[in-house]
Amino acid sequence: MLEEYIPFVGEETIQELILISKKLKDLKVLHVNSTYKGGGVAEILNSLVPLMNELEIKTDWKVFRGDERFFSFTKKLHNLLHIPCGKYINSDEFVYYLKITFENLKEIDTENYDIVFIHDPQPMGLIIKKHPGQKWIWRCHIDTSTPDPQAWNFLENFLNAYDACIFHMPEFAYERITIPIYTIPPSIDPLHPKNIELSEEEIKNIITKFGIDLEKPIILQVSRFDRLKDPFGVFEAFKLIKKKYDCQLVLVGSFAEDDPEGESVYKELLNKTSGEKDVFVLNLPPNSHREINAFQRGATVVVQKSLKEGFGLVVSEAMWKGKPVVGSNVGGIKRQIVHGITGYLVNSIEGAAVRIKQLLANKYFRDEMGFHAKERVKHRFLIIRHLRDYLILIYKILNQKS
Ligand code: UDP
């Protein structure tokens, strides 16, 4: 319920939201992504879609279906959009992408919507069945500031038919884009089970259930099992820290339906860390929200050592819980962490180890940074701000001359 957000954002903000939404009443909006669970996009839509409906903007969420071959290709595309690495997209892959797109068009009826939001590259091809009068918006959750040119060519087959595109940060918008560009950073939901307050007892029960010692400092990273999240780098940093501090490393992860690489990364991580004292690699089911919440609250320092990152909701989630975050100086992490104020931005394994050690050594410092971290999320990265940005964007696009 919208009014439940008043304690976080104030009554005026909610009133303003209602006022804006009156201009969009009875509009039909569709969001399409490629998974209901696992990853940040699903997390956001879970909160955003009901709130839009509460504002009487009729909003549906549909999921694009694919098989392993399709998602292996789109994961490769995802990686290429983040970092050019000399792998090529071949014509068979293109044909298969179209085949799955046509299959989805039989299931996903887009005809009755005024506005269609397509999230990320997987469902992007659905635009081939755009109906007259509709506005289609491509919502990109990837850092595409330096994409592989061939991967970008692939997107351009579809992108130019869209009415607008949205990126998390202005620098993610590749210079070749010719359609209107907007920037909207993502957000977390303070009322989601992942972010609500938990009792000390529940935090303790959850963490100790996994054999973790609450008396010893906990260094935590929460991420899908994905190479770009660099859990291996976190482990290397931990080994450097462990020489000086008796602490524990907890790597919490899960699989997402649209990421077939998860299992192999998980296995490799188990192999690499096996026999290491005080290292916990936990593969949790996708809906383990209270568990993630408890780990983030119980952690001493939270890390996000991604090699590339669209945004990294996990950073804001931890900051919201008053934790200083040591994050890589990349993508959306740069936007969340204010270096030296709410956490640290680092460029290497050694840098991460130094900053984590600094935080482990000083509780006053951790609390001070944690306080500023929470304030930052409160003012910039909560769902109500995100919703407001979406409504204003829809209004603008409806009034955009095409
Ligand atoms: N997440 C989770 N369980 C896990 C790993 C991640 O619930 O084992 C959640 C995490 O709390 C966050 C989202 O999945 O809400 C991940 O979003 P983020 O933007 O950090 O990364 P993405 O997976 O979208 O690249």
Side-chain angles (χ1 to χ4, degrees):
M1 293 283 286
L2 269 168
E3 65 192 32
E4 291 176 71
Y5 291 89
I6 292 174
F8 305 108
V9 299
E11 196 167 350
E12 235 174 79
T13 308
I14 300 296
Q15 290 306 335
E16 192 193 37
L17 202 60
I18 293 169
L19 210 64
I20 302 170
S21 71
K22 290 211 163 96
K23 298 248 179 227
L24 307 175
K25 226 171 147 190
D26 299 325
L27 212 61
K28 293 198 180 70
V29 176
L30 173 66
H31 286 274
V32 184
N33 78 323
S34 55
T35 176
Y36 279 121
K37 41 186 196 258
V41 182
E43 204 74 23
I44 292 167
L45 291 177
N46 251 310
S47 298
L48 197 73
V49 171
L51 286 172
M52 287 180 76
N53 279 302
E54 196 181 330
L55 288 167
E56 294 178 51
I57 301 167
K58 197 182 162 331
T59 308
D60 290 330
W61 172 12
K62 296 183 180 177
V63 165
F64 186 100
R65 302 285 176 196
D67 56 12
E68 183 158 356
R69 183 173 166 197
F70 178 83
F71 287 130
S72 295
F73 166 62
T74 54
K75 185 66 201 286
K76 174 173 141 185
L77 184 63
H78 175 102
N79 290 341
L80 281 169
L81 288 167
H82 271 303
I83 308 176
C85 64
K87 283 190 185 162
Y88 290 104
I89 296 170
N90 59 51
S91 51
D92 283 355
E93 287 170 324
F94 193 18
V95 169
Y96 199 68
Y97 180 91
L98 288 178
K99 177 179 181 290
I100 297 294
T101 300
F102 276 105
E103 278 171 25
N104 273 271
L105 279 169
K106 288 184 218 146
E107 305 298 323
I108 301 178
D109 186 1
T110 57
E111 186 168 4
N112 294 319
Y113 297 93
D114 304 297
I115 304 271
V116 180
F117 284 96
I118 297 291
H119 295 262
D120 282 339
Q122 299 93 332
M124 203 171 174
L126 294 175
I127 187 103
I128 52 189
K129 213 167 164 190
K130 182 182 178 190
H131 297 90
Q134 292 183 322
K135 299 285 183 188
W136 283 56
I137 300 156
W138 186 54
R139 197 340 168 191
C140 179
H141 297 264
I142 304 170
D143 173 356
T144 48
S145 43
T146 54
D148 178 279
Q150 207 209 359
W152 190 263
N153 286 345
F154 180 88
L155 294 193
E156 271 184 348
N157 287 308
F158 308 103
L159 184 63
N160 292 333
Y162 281 76
D163 296 283
C165 52
I166 315 173
F167 295 88
H168 295 334
M169 295 166 64
E171 57 266 45
F172 287 4
Y174 191 39
E175 58 197 22
R176 271 168 43 189
I177 298 175
T178 53
I179 62 171
I181 301 168
Y182 296 87
T183 51
I184 300 182
S187 62
I188 62 161
D189 182 351
L191 295 179
H192 191 284
K194 181 165 283 162
N195 297 315
I196 53 171
E197 294 288 337
L198 297 180
S199 69
E200 287 299 322
E201 199 188 346
E202 183 170 359
I203 297 171
K204 183 173 157 219
N205 287 342
I206 290 177
I207 295 183
T208 53
K209 194 171 77 187
F210 292 95
I212 296 160
D213 181 357
L214 268 176
E215 301 302 313
K216 242 191 230 187
I218 298 172
I219 300 164
L220 172 76
Q221 176 161 299
V222 176
S223 285
R224 283 180 298 104
F225 293 108
D226 182 335
R227 258 170 238 292
L228 286 182
K229 306 287 183 186
D230 200 21
F232 304 102
V234 181
F235 177 52
E236 292 306 316
F238 172 76
K239 288 196 281 188
L240 296 175
I241 299 161
K242 190 72 176 166
K243 289 181 186 160
K244 179 150 184 215
Y245 285 95
D246 188 18
C247 55
Q248 304 163 96
L249 174 65
V250 181
L251 296 169
V252 177
S254 61
F255 303 144
E257 282 163 1
D258 58 353
D259 180 2
E261 280 176 2
E263 206 160 320
S264 67
V265 174
Y266 172 59
K267 282 188 184 146
E268 193 178 326
L269 199 53
L270 282 182
N271 262 335
K272 280 239 159 75
T273 57
S274 80
E276 286 287 336
K277 194 168 159 267
D278 292 326
V279 178
F280 300 83
V281 178
L282 308 177
N283 179 9
L284 301 186
N287 286 333
S288 309
H289 301 310
R290 289 187 95 93
E291 284 79 3
I292 303 281
N293 189 341
F295 278 114
Q296 287 168 333
R297 289 183 189 279
T300 317
V301 177
V302 175
V303 189
Q304 192 55 45
K305 223 210 121 315
S306 309
L307 302 173
K308 278 276 189 168
E309 188 61 77
F311 188 72
L313 285 181
V314 282
V315 173
S316 275
E317 287 167 5
M319 288 169 70
W320 179 244
K321 287 148 194 142
K323 299 294 163 180
V325 180
V326 175
S328 300
N329 193 16
V330 298
I333 298 177
K334 284 195 291 196
R335 182 148 192 166
Q336 297 173 80
I337 297 175
V338 183
H339 184 65
I341 309 286
T342 71
Y344 290 113
L345 290 168
V346 295
N347 296 297
S348 64
I349 289 170
E350 293 73 19
V354 167
R355 293 307 189 179
I356 294 168
K357 279 194 274 190
Q358 233 174 321
L359 287 167
L360 288 178
N362 192 333
K363 176 162 169 23
Y364 171 78
F365 214 30
R366 290 200 301 272
D367 291 347
E368 188 69 13
M369 280 191 159
F371 170 80
H372 291 297
K374 182 163 186 180
E375 282 297 298
R376 183 161 174 83
V377 174
K378 182 175 169 184
H379 294 295
R380 290 174 182 247
F381 303 121
L382 291 187
I383 188 83
I384 296 297
R385 188 274 309 149
H386 197 177
L387 177 58
R388 181 180 183 277
D389 286 352
Y390 263 113
L391 299 192
I392 292 174
L393 174 100
I394 293 173
Y395 183 75
K396 274 194 199 157
I397 287 178
L398 286 173
N399 292 290
Q400 177 178 291
K401 289 190 183 74
S402 43

